Amino acid sequence: MKCLPQILLLFFFQLQFSLSSQIVVSNCNAPDSIINKYKNDADRLAIKRVFHINSSFKDSAEINKPIRNNYLNALIAVYNATALPARDTIVSLHIHTSPAPSLNSIAIDADSNAIWMKNLRDNIIPTSNSIVNYLMTKYYLQKQSYYSWQSNSYSTVIFKSDTSYNMDGLGLKFMTILGVNNAGSDAFALDGNRITDSIGSNFTSLTYSYGWGDCPSGCGSRRFWNFKVYGDCSVEYTGSNGDALPVSAFVGIDESELETTKLKIYPNPLNGKLNIMFEDQPSTPSLFITNSLGQAVHVLSELNKSQELDLSFLSSGIYFLFLKENSITKIYKVIKE
């Protein structure tokens, strides 16, 4: 590694693929483990959508199921579109929606002197208020914490639910109770990774973005990947834009060799396909490939013991393969004829 040009370790990598737009066959089915990864994303996108279109569901505690299912299908379709290198990038970067609004937690600010608030403070449940009792039962709310504020006569109670709801819509129900000053989602929208959307006549558009920099104060840099998902679950990748990704988004460069992994990379030079074969694979490595300018051209979040990469879309030239295993990264030079 030490003989490689040092400038390669200083590059900020940008995902730019030679095909500006690609449509691939995909599907909207996935095991529960994958569905659970994207279920909260679909719920948050659905909540934001009903506010955008001014649907009556914006004032409801329930999440609009048809809209939520549409988003979940679109998210799963993108996840399943493994023929798209950009898909591997967003999966590797673990891009999801921001944590706001909260789906399972609600904060209620109310008069500390209300009897039902005193009961909640003292863990007397059911409380003396029939509406509070009803809402706690109907929406599976459990008291999580109670805060008293010396500066005013209001206190805050935090409820948690094991079911996802539109907590701002549920807050409107609490606002009908005498003594409640404010009620709604208990979450702050800190900057970071995001998934945003738009809806066309025959597709759902999803934009995944990765933010870095001082994100608690607002990410200073951000990159975007754009997808369209059609009714048959096919996926179109329409390109990426924004700031160039830092190398730290993918790997932590280490001058060490890969001590535990013996592998073969062939043929080199290559015409179209590159084979990567491990003699021993104690863990699941990941890789990305850059051109001589430091621009990433292919990303895989997980490598099999024997993997064939179709790199026929690359133009002739020199490329660098970054192979990461745990915290160690090794770089190989390959030539495309």
Side-chain angles (χ1 to χ4, degrees):
M1 277 187 59
K2 293 181 180 179
C3 64
L4 288 173
Q6 187 175 5
I7 193 171
L8 279 177
L9 303 183
L10 302 177
F11 266 119
F12 281 178
F13 296 126
Q14 183 175 3
L15 295 180
Q16 293 178 334
F17 301 98
S18 57
L19 297 178
S20 60
S21 180
Q22 300 169 267
I23 300 180
V24 301
V25 175
S26 186
N27 68 80
C28 296
N29 301 313
D32 289 343
S33 59
I34 302 303
I35 291 174
N36 289 335
K37 284 185 177 182
Y38 291 98
K39 187 165 57 176
N40 286 350
D41 296 320
D43 286 339
R44 290 192 178 97
L45 287 169
I47 290 171
K48 293 176 182 178
R49 172 56 49 177
V50 297
F51 276 89
H52 180 74
I53 63 177
N54 199 29
S55 165
S56 59
F57 268 89
K58 73 181 189 300
D59 298 330
S60 171
E62 304 295 333
I63 299 172
N64 185 293
K65 290 183 179 179
I67 294 178
R68 177 191 62 193
N69 292 342
N70 175 75
Y71 282 121
L72 185 58
N73 286 339
L75 291 161
I76 296 301
V78 172
Y79 179 87
N80 287 333
T82 54
L84 297 174
R87 170 270 179 200
D88 294 328
T89 302
I90 63 171
V91 171
S92 297
L93 294 175
H94 305 288
I95 298 177
H96 293 279
T97 53
S98 65
S102 172
L103 301 171
N104 305 99
S105 181
I106 185 171
I108 312 297
D109 296 330
D111 186 351
S112 304
N113 295 314
I115 296 176
W116 62 273
M117 282 292 284
K118 291 181 178 179
N119 287 342
L120 284 172
R121 180 196 62 195
D122 297 333
N123 294 316
I124 301 173
I125 300 172
T127 71
S128 61
N129 189 294
S130 60
I131 300 178
V132 173
N133 296 338
Y134 169 77
L135 294 175
M136 290 180 65
T137 301
K138 180 175 176 60
Y139 297 104
Y140 311 103
L141 300 176
Q142 298 289 329
K143 174 195 165 186
Q144 183 185 36
S145 53
Y146 187 99
Y147 302 99
S148 297
W149 312 111
Q150 295 181 353
S151 59
N152 55 50
S153 60
Y154 286 93
S155 295
T156 301
V157 60
I158 308 294
F159 290 113
K160 291 278 287 188
S161 175
D162 59 4
T163 304
S164 294
Y165 292 107
N166 173 12
M167 288 298 177
D168 287 331
L170 179 55
L172 295 177
K173 299 181 183 296
F174 275 97
M175 290 295 291
T176 64
I177 300 171
L178 184 64
V180 173
N181 180 56
N182 195 24
S185 169
D186 178 39
F188 296 97
L190 296 176
D191 205 1
N193 298 344
R194 287 180 273 191
I195 303 175
T196 55
D197 72 289
S198 64
I199 304 295
S201 58
N202 64 337
F203 64 84
T204 299
S205 177
L206 296 175
T207 297
Y208 297 71
S209 71
Y210 178 83
W212 67 97
D214 186 14
C215 286
S217 301
C219 297
S221 301
R222 185 170 293 280
R223 184 148 192 87
F224 304 85
W225 295 265
N226 307 297
F227 300 84
K228 288 182 179 179
V229 181
Y230 296 92
D232 61 356
C233 293
S234 61
V235 178
E236 179 181 8
Y237 171 59
T238 59
S240 62
N241 60 284
D243 300 299
L245 281 175
V247 65
S248 59
F250 290 103
V251 296
I253 296 299
D254 193 315
E255 291 289 333
S256 305
E257 296 291 324
L258 284 174
E259 298 175 352
T260 57
T261 301
K262 295 180 180 179
L263 63 118
K264 295 179 181 179
I265 298 176
Y266 65 93
N268 190 15
L270 65 111
N271 286 318
K273 294 183 179 180
L274 180 69
N275 292 284
I276 301 176
M277 183 175 294
F278 295 89
E279 295 181 11
D280 181 28
Q281 190 184 14
S283 61
T284 305
S286 59
L287 72 77
F288 71 101
I289 301 173
T290 76
N291 59 22
S292 59
L293 298 177
Q295 297 168 325
V297 296
H298 194 77
V299 180
L300 273 179
S301 58
E302 294 182 356
L303 277 175
N304 299 320
K305 186 173 183 180
S306 178
Q307 189 91 32
E308 182 181 73
L309 305 180
D310 185 359
L311 302 178
S312 57
F313 64 93
L314 295 179
S315 57
S316 299
I318 296 174
Y319 296 87
F320 294 92
L321 186 154
F322 289 68
L323 178 65
K324 180 184 180 184
E325 182 184 54
N326 299 321
S327 61
I328 298 176
T329 299
K330 188 172 181 180
I331 306 176
Y332 299 86
K333 182 172 71 174
V334 295
I335 299 173
K336 171 70 185 304
E337 293 181 334

